[in-house]
Amino acid sequence: MKLQSIKGMNDIVPPDSSTWQLAEQLLGDILQSYGYRQIRLPIMEKTAVFERSIGDVTDIVQKEMYTFEDRNGDSLTLRPEGTAGCVRALLQHGLLNQQNRKLWYIGPMFRHERPQKGRYRQFHQIGVEVFDLAGPDIDAELIMMTARMWKTLELTDLRLEINTLGTVENRRQYSRELHQYFSDRRDQLDADSINRLERNPMRILDSKNPSLGELIDQAPRLDQYLDEHSRAHFAGLCEILDKAGIAYSVNPHLVRGLDYYSNTVFEWITDSLGAQGTVCAGGRYDGLVELLGGKPTQAIGFAMGLERLIELSETRLTREDRSAVDIYIISTNEALAAEVLLYAESIRSAAPRWQVICHCGGGSIKSQMRKADRSDAKLVLIIGEQELVDSTVTIKPLRNQAAQFTVPRSESIEALREFVA
Ligand code: ATP
Ligand code: MG
């Protein structure tokens, strides 16, 4: 039986890996330009880190976590998201100070979901967490930064939905009201919603079942329960987004799955990926740091799913071929291997960004030329007996009609620059 990868856990092989690298580079540069610093965290945590933070009535904790027992009996979990581990690390190292306010991470996340297009069991996120800033200015800046990311990736069909959840207290009152409303209409709910009713009635608003649409539309709305401060916060965010020309719609049913959100929540959504349309989701979680044992600390963050994002940005990401070979070096004689390798080293020292391939493994000139051709290199460089004696190299352009020529190796970089940008 052939060995296969685990269902829902994908290999990213060339040339797709180049697309990923470019996406990561473009997004990483933007994060850098806003002053974010990367944090690298383990992909596994003690299960309690997630149970305590994400909330044990959420889909993630109830159904989706990869949890197993370590050899010493500890319960461990492959991280389903990045925020909990990030807060755990900051608390552990006492890092919640000025310099570490703005952080980002990238890496695989694990959720045991039904694999389908845009939904995998190992997937990748880039996420951002900001601490100790009350907003709404930082809320707006985060959204503006994501808008810049979409622009860089040339994505045009993403729409922004925002909402405010108010304070934990606002939500508690509202939850009680919703519980009453849906309990009175229990016979109209589906099994999933009945399940949510006792544990987290707000999640019923999130239901994707169209036959609940009307019931949900007529449910009491959270905005009636917001306190003054939460209202002002949300109005402040909307005002900045308006001034920045960022279009959004307020979706009162946007509640997000996790328990730790408060006030601002947002999602960037596309219609071109079918049901898996949320590309980036985030919000404020002012209560989480305290919940995990720290001092009360405001916080806001978001995470974007790279699989969905890269699928959408294909046009932009495949335009530059990062795997393009610039130079392919061959020789007439295997005894010249050292000569070829050393010459290649000197080119790389002079032009570190060029991609230089040395032909390895010998073979006739004809077969080496064929391989050079197939590599799509711009130039093939030939070192033969004569070139060895004269310390020269023969340069043969492959992509245009220019004739081949021979130059001293010591002056060859200048000649190569004519062909390789
Ligand atoms: P969904 O409603 O699609 O299940 P979610 O609310 O569970 O998303 P978050 O926890 O907010 O997702 O994660 C942020 C982003 O990570 C999502 O918007 C999505 O782009 C991506 N994401 C989440 N789960 C998966 C998955 N199983 N496979 C691929 N991407 C995912
Ligand atoms: Mg989910």
Side-chain angles (χ1 to χ4, degrees):
M1 209 174 68
K2 261 208 223 140
L3 293 175
Q4 298 277 323
S5 63
I6 299 165
K7 191 174 168 202
M9 303 198 177
N10 302 314
D11 303 310
I12 302 168
V13 299
D16 292 352
S17 47
S18 299
T19 313
W20 278 73
Q21 280 182 294
L22 180 56
E24 289 164 11
Q25 186 200 320
L26 293 171
L27 295 171
D29 286 351
I30 292 175
L31 288 159
Q32 173 93 13
S33 78
Y34 281 77
Y36 286 78
R37 296 167 75 192
Q38 195 185 34
I39 183 165
R40 300 190 182 203
L41 302 159
I43 60 163
M44 242 191 262
E45 296 277 351
K46 294 194 178 138
T47 304
V49 170
F50 303 112
E51 278 177 351
R52 236 200 273 170
S53 61
I54 299 174
D56 50 12
V57 301
T58 56
D59 285 354
I60 292 184
V61 170
Q62 283 201 327
K63 305 190 288 216
E64 297 173 359
M65 292 207 306
Y66 277 94
T67 297
F68 61 94
E69 200 172 279
D70 199 358
R71 289 175 195 273
N72 64 359
D74 288 351
S75 178
L76 304 182
T77 296
L78 287 172
R79 63 181 183 192
E81 54 96 56
T83 302
C86 180
V87 173
R88 192 271 307 141
L90 296 177
L91 288 173
Q92 180 174 338
H93 302 291
L95 291 178
L96 279 170
N97 59 29
Q98 287 279 109
Q99 290 84 46
N100 301 294
R101 260 188 191 171
K102 297 184 172 178
L103 296 162
W104 72 282
Y105 58 81
I106 181 171
M109 304 293 159
F110 303 85
R111 297 185 194 175
H112 195 276
E113 305 195 68
R114 192 170 67 78
Q116 53 197 288
K117 190 169 131 83
R119 192 174 292 288
Y120 309 100
R121 290 181 173 175
Q122 173 171 335
F123 61 100
H124 299 79
Q125 287 183 337
I126 284 186
V128 160
E129 318 288 355
V130 185
F131 297 93
D132 213 18
L133 296 175
D137 47 0
I138 186 66
D139 305 19
E141 192 192 58
L142 276 190
I143 292 175
M144 288 160 78
M145 178 167 75
T146 51
R148 178 178 294 279
M149 290 172 168
W150 315 149
K151 198 170 163 204
T152 301
L153 295 173
E154 296 173 13
L155 299 179
T156 47
D157 71 340
L158 287 179
R159 61 174 193 278
L160 173 64
E161 293 190 354
I162 61 175
N163 191 25
T164 178
L165 303 178
T167 62
V168 173
E169 184 48 39
N170 299 159
R171 242 185 17 239
R172 200 169 293 140
Q173 280 179 12
Y174 175 60
S175 252
R176 243 179 267 135
E177 192 65 23
L178 262 191
H179 180 263
Q180 190 59 49
Y181 171 84
F182 285 119
S183 298
D184 293 346
R185 294 159 184 80
R186 197 186 165 92
D187 52 330
Q188 299 173 48
L189 296 177
D190 59 11
D192 203 28
S193 302
I194 289 175
N195 189 25
R196 289 170 174 180
L197 180 60
E198 294 312 322
R199 287 182 278 129
N200 188 353
M202 275 175 69
R203 289 278 283 135
I204 300 177
L205 302 178
D206 228 7
S207 167
K208 309 245 149 66
N209 182 350
S211 68
L212 294 180
E214 203 174 319
L215 190 66
I216 288 171
D217 280 341
Q218 283 160 17
R221 287 173 53 148
L222 174 60
D223 48 18
Q224 295 146 23
Y225 295 82
L226 296 178
D227 63 11
E228 264 323 296
H229 183 263
S230 297
R231 274 177 214 283
H233 186 110
F234 194 59
L237 170 63
C238 294
E239 192 187 325
I240 301 175
L241 293 179
D242 290 336
K243 284 190 178 147
I246 294 179
Y248 58 88
S249 59
V250 177
N251 174 359
H253 296 147
L254 184 66
V255 298
R256 308 285 309 127
L258 309 187
D259 277 359
Y260 55 57
Y261 286 102
S262 54
N263 280 308
T264 309
V265 287
F266 65 93
E267 284 191 1
W268 287 96
I269 303 165
T270 176
D271 293 320
S272 41
L273 292 178
Q276 271 54 252
T278 304
V279 169
C280 172
R284 190 160 267 287
Y285 50 94
D286 293 340
L288 182 63
V289 174
E290 197 178 6
L291 194 68
L292 291 184
K295 287 200 286 258
T297 308
Q298 285 113 346
I300 180 167
F302 64 75
M304 58 184 77
L306 287 176
E307 280 78 2
R308 297 181 192 178
L309 204 56
I310 285 170
E311 170 145 8
L312 282 179
S313 327
E314 198 129 25
T315 336
R316 167 67 187 88
L317 294 174
T318 50
R319 196 182 315 133
E320 279 165 59
D321 185 1
R322 282 167 48 95
S323 59
V325 175
D326 294 303
I327 291 170
Y328 197 102
I329 313 178
I330 67 175
S331 65
T332 52
N333 187 330
E334 269 178 83
L336 300 177
E339 208 72 28
V340 167
L341 291 170
L342 290 175
Y343 177 49
E345 289 297 324
S346 73
I347 298 177
R348 294 189 189 106
S349 299
R353 299 186 65 87
W354 292 358
Q355 195 171 126
V356 182
I357 309 263
C358 293
H359 178 85
C360 292
S364 69
I365 276 287
K366 204 169 152 210
S367 86
Q368 292 186 59
M369 277 303 289
R370 207 178 313 123
K371 290 207 169 105
D373 242 345
R374 236 183 267 148
S375 79
D376 251 352
K378 298 188 180 94
L379 299 172
V380 61
L381 310 191
I382 306 154
I383 297 183
E385 315 291 338
Q386 197 58 49
E387 284 87 354
L388 177 68
V389 175
D390 301 343
S391 291
T392 55
V393 57
T394 296
I395 300 175
K396 183 175 162 54
L398 291 178
R399 303 234 190 126
N400 58 30
Q401 299 304 311
Q404 75 176 48
F405 58 100
T406 302
V407 292
R409 251 176 275 161
S410 58
E411 294 161 22
S412 59
I413 286 290
E414 289 319 307
L416 297 174
R417 281 194 210 284
E418 301 278 312
F419 298 91
V420 184

